[in-house]
Amino acid sequence: MPLPAFRFPRWLGALLLIAAGLLVLAASWWSWPRAVPAPLVPPASATARPAGPPPPDGRMRGVSWVGTDSVSTLDLEPLTKAGVTWIAQMPFGWMAGATEPSVQLRTGVPSRRYWGESDAGILFTARRARQRGIRTLLKPHLWLRGPGGSWVGDINMTSEADWQAWFSSYSAFILHYARLAEAGQLDALCIGTELERTVGHEAEWRALIRQIRQVYRGPLTYAANWSGEFEQVKFWDALDFIGVQAYFPLSTEPSPKKAQLLAGWREPLRRIAAVQKQYNKPVVFTEAGYKTTVDAAAKPWEWPQKLDVLTPTDEATQAACYAALFETFWPKPWFKGIFIWKWYPGLQPDGPSRRHADFTPQHKPAERVMSEWFLKGT
C-alpha cells in the first residue's frame, strides 16, 4: 500500500518565510558595523563636536576603551552613569623587534575581534560616543612582536641611519592617525606612548609635532612613562598638556591602607609638580589603574598573571588605591584629568573569571570611587 501524498500546510509555509526573513535581518544587523568602510572624511552630520558642554572644570574624566567587534549605545550607557566624559581609543602599530626601524601600519580589519581598532571602528565608536556627549582621545600604541624586547620602552636603534629610518616610518604611522583624527573631528590626539628611548631625539620629535599640527587642529599630548621618562621629555612646551602613564609604586605591603598609599604619593607628586611648573602645562594621567589583588600598589604596571584567577581577589585594596589617587591629584588646579585603565564594553558582573583580578573597576567598589570623583564638578 503506497504512502499517502504529503500536503504542505499553507500556514507552515508562511511561518517558514517569516523565519527566513528574520534571519536575513539579523545577519544584516550583526554584520553592518564591520562592513562600514574606512572613509577619511565621515558624513558632515558626524563631524560635530559633542552637543553637551564639557564639565565646568574642563577635566578629562576618561577610561581606556577596549576596542571590540562592535559598539552600541547600551555599551556606552554605563559610562554616562559613572560620569565618564572621555574615552581613549587605542589602535596598534607593529614592530618586528626593538631594533627594527620599521613600523607596520594596519588600518583595515585584521579580524572581527579587533574591528574596534580599525579606522572604521574608531570613527564609528567616536560617533556613537559623541551622541552621548563623550569625547575621544585617539592614542595609538606600538606592539613589539619579535625578540629584543617586549616593551616599547626598549625600542632603541643601533645606528643613526636606523634612527632616521625609524622616525620616518613612525611619522607615516602617526600622521595617518592625525589625519584620521582630523577627519573624524576627534577631540585630542596622543602622538606616542612610552617610547622612552626615543625622546632624547628632541629635534626629530619637534619636527614631527610641526607636521602633525599641519593636518590635525586639536590638542596634542605624549604619554610618558612614570619611571622617569616624563622628566626626560624636553618638548612638552610644543604640546598642549603633559601626559603621564601613572603606574607609580606606592607600597610594598600587601593590602595597604589608604594612609600608606597617600604617603606613597608624596614623592611622585613632588616630581610631577616640578615638571608641571617648569613647562606651565596641565597634567593628564593618560593611563592609571590597579589590579584587584593584594599587591596592586607594589607594581601597578604589571599585568595580571594567569594563576591570579586561582587566588582571592582584593577589591578593597583596588578601591583604596583609587581613593588615594583621586585625593592626591583631583584637588590640584593644574591636574586636568585621568584615563582609567581599562574598560571592557558590555562586561557583565558574572563575566570571565580572568576579569576579576584585572585592572578594570567595572562592577567593583573601585568603580564607585571613580564615579564619585568624576561626578564632582559636573
Side-chain angles (χ1 to χ4, degrees), residues 54-63 79 82-87 134 326 330 336-340 370-371 373-378:
D57 60 9
R59 284 202 170 105
M60 295 176 165
R61 294 157 164 84
V63 295
L79 298 181
V84 173
T85 60
W86 283 76
I87 58 172
I134 297 173
F326 278 100
W330 210 254
K336 292 302 179 184
I338 187 171
F339 287 85
I340 294 295
M370 179 192 79
S371 179
W373 285 94
F374 276 0
L375 291 171
K376 290 182 180 180
T378 57

Side-chain angles (χ1 to χ4, degrees), residues 328-344:
T328 299
F329 288 94
W330 210 254
K332 305 300 179 186
W334 46 261
F335 186 72
K336 292 302 179 184
I338 187 171
F339 287 85
I340 294 295
W341 186 269
K342 58 187 176 173
W343 192 277
Y344 297 91

Side-chain angles (χ1 to χ4, degrees), residues 6 12 33 47 71 78 89 104 107 119 127 135 154 180 215 234 237 248 266 303 305-306 309 311 322 333 338 340:
F6 176 71
L12 181 59
T47 61
V71 62
Q89 292 199 67
Q104 301 174 37
T107 62
D119 286 3
R127 289 197 292 271
R135 292 161 170 77
D154 295 328
L180 187 74
V215 298
K234 304 300 182 185
D237 60 291
F248 295 88
R266 289 173 190 158
W303 284 78
Q305 303 300 309
K306 291 181 179 179
V309 299
T311 60
Y322 271 61
I338 187 171
I340 294 295

Side-chain angles (χ1 to χ4, degrees), residues 60-272:
M60 295 176 165
R61 294 157 164 84
V63 295
S64 298
W65 178 266
V66 179
T68 55
D69 64 348
S70 64
V71 62
S72 71
T73 54
L74 291 177
D75 294 327
L76 295 160
E77 185 176 350
L79 298 181
T80 304
K81 291 181 179 178
V84 173
T85 60
W86 283 76
I87 58 172
Q89 292 199 67
M90 298 163 292
F92 278 83
W94 305 87
M95 288 177 58
T99 59
E100 170 59 47
S102 176
V103 176
Q104 301 174 37
L105 172 66
R106 296 187 176 180
T107 62
V109 184
S111 71
R112 177 170 148 182
R113 177 182 176 187
Y114 294 107
W115 168 83
E117 296 177 13
S118 69
D119 286 3
I122 290 167
L123 293 180
F124 185 88
T125 301
R127 289 197 292 271
R128 279 285 171 87
R130 186 175 295 126
Q131 290 168 1
R132 300 193 72 94
I134 297 173
R135 292 161 170 77
T136 295
L137 167 69
L138 184 58
K139 187 169 176 276
H141 285 222
L142 295 184
W143 190 271
L144 300 188
R145 277 185 152 174
S150 57
W151 174 49
V152 292
D154 295 328
I155 293 172
N156 194 14
M157 300 301 108
T158 57
S159 69
E160 184 58 29
D162 280 355
W163 271 119
Q164 294 306 312
W166 185 87
F167 270 101
S168 176
S169 184
Y170 185 79
S171 296
F173 165 78
I174 201 65
L175 283 167
H176 167 83
Y177 286 110
R179 294 186 184 97
L180 187 74
E182 180 64 23
Q185 291 293 286
L186 305 188
D187 304 276
L189 174 67
C190 182
I191 67 171
T193 299
E194 297 181 2
L195 304 172
E196 186 170 323
R197 296 177 185 267
T198 76
V199 297
H201 294 258
E202 182 182 353
E204 287 85 347
W205 275 107
R206 289 187 180 275
L208 177 54
I209 291 167
R210 288 193 293 270
Q211 288 181 279
I212 292 170
R213 291 207 184 274
Q214 289 176 2
V215 298
Y216 176 67
R217 293 174 291 177
L220 302 178
T221 191
Y222 173 85
N225 197 42
W226 66 270
S227 59
E229 184 189 2
F230 73 95
E231 295 162 307
Q232 300 168 15
V233 174
K234 304 300 182 185
F235 48 84
W236 288 128
D237 60 291
L239 300 171
D240 297 288
F241 56 93
I242 296 168
V244 180
Q245 305 278 92
Y247 297 107
F248 295 88
L250 302 177
S251 174
T252 58
E253 295 291 325
S255 302
K257 301 301 182 183
K258 187 174 71 172
Q260 295 173 278
L261 300 170
L262 289 170
W265 269 119
R266 289 173 190 158
E267 180 58 17
L269 172 61
R270 183 196 64 78
R271 292 167 55 198
I272 294 168

